[in-house]
Amino acid sequence: CTMGGTQSTFTSSRQEHITFNSFSPQFLCSSIGRRKERRYIKQKVSCKKILRRFEEHCTMGASGVQLVGIVLAICGLIGAIVCCALPKWRETSFSGQNIVTAQTTWEGIWMNCVVQSTGQMQCKTYDSFLQLSSDLQAARALTVVSIVLAAFGALVAFVGAEFTTCVEDESAKSKISLTAGIVIAIAGLILIIPVSWSANTVIRNFYNPTVVSKMELGASIFIGWASSVLLLIAGGLLCCFRPRGSGGSYSAQYYAKSAPTAPSKNYV
């Protein structure tokens, strides 16, 4: 220990000279502040890595679910087209007193067909739209609207999907995907209305004793039900698993506490 002038110094094992002024409150406070700052920086970096990995996994999962939703929407669209075009909304029932099996009658929303037992089939379009029953009139209009909405929704969903680059803005992608999901779900609801209405009419007439010619549910009814369910599921998936916009991204901010200001007093 040597005394030199007004300052005394110590020599450590590392040959470092530390003055008495180094043990002042200013030095201690600044050291604590720097340690806290380094600790907060490490926490910030680690949290950012965790959130980045979490966002990558969520993005990959959302892309897969969106792809499934678009595929289901396309399948529902194809089913709606088949349901609209196939003339098998009603079929002749061979029950009770109706034992004539030489021919089968099919009724659709665009035409009716007569199939002979020999395999020959003759189809004829309806002469007038007013010739149809009320349920088939509504079915003709609503199925066409459902097909148009489903096609538009599937196209918009593909544009706003996470795995496409048609739109770069994430917030715009989120809005586009939400709009597509709502449109596809509405298409499913519009399709299920005429199908259920026609099925109810057929069932009610089947159990009505005053109706002589009995009809049964055709294949188009079941195809329409399945297509509407597919469209509803697709719309729900696209609404729930859409790209996160700027407002929905995860962000965490950590602020390091600044080192306390040094006191104005001088310590001896």
Side-chain angles (χ1 to χ4, degrees), residues 96-113:
Q97 297 178 356
N98 190 5
I99 58 175
V100 179
T101 59
Q103 63 181 18
T104 303
T105 303
W106 296 346
E107 290 185 3
I109 60 177
W110 303 100
M111 64 182 70
N112 58 356
C113 299

Side-chain angles (χ1 to χ4, degrees), residues 109 129 132-144 193-194 197:
I109 60 177
F129 176 74
L132 298 174
S133 58
S134 59
D135 59 324
L136 293 183
Q137 290 179 2
R140 179 181 288 191
L142 292 177
T143 50
V144 172
I193 291 173
W197 186 1

Side-chain angles (χ1 to χ4, degrees), residues 53-68:
R53 291 177 182 175
F54 179 73
E55 289 179 357
E56 289 177 356
H57 287 296
C58 290
T59 301
M60 293 174 62
S63 300
V65 174
Q66 285 178 353
L67 181 59
V68 172

Side-chain angles (χ1 to χ4, degrees), residues 135-166:
D135 59 324
L136 293 183
Q137 290 179 2
R140 179 181 288 191
L142 292 177
T143 50
V144 172
V145 173
S146 176
I147 291 171
V148 173
L149 288 179
F152 176 74
L155 180 62
V156 173
F158 182 80
V159 171
E162 186 73 26
F163 54 85
T164 59
T165 58
C166 299

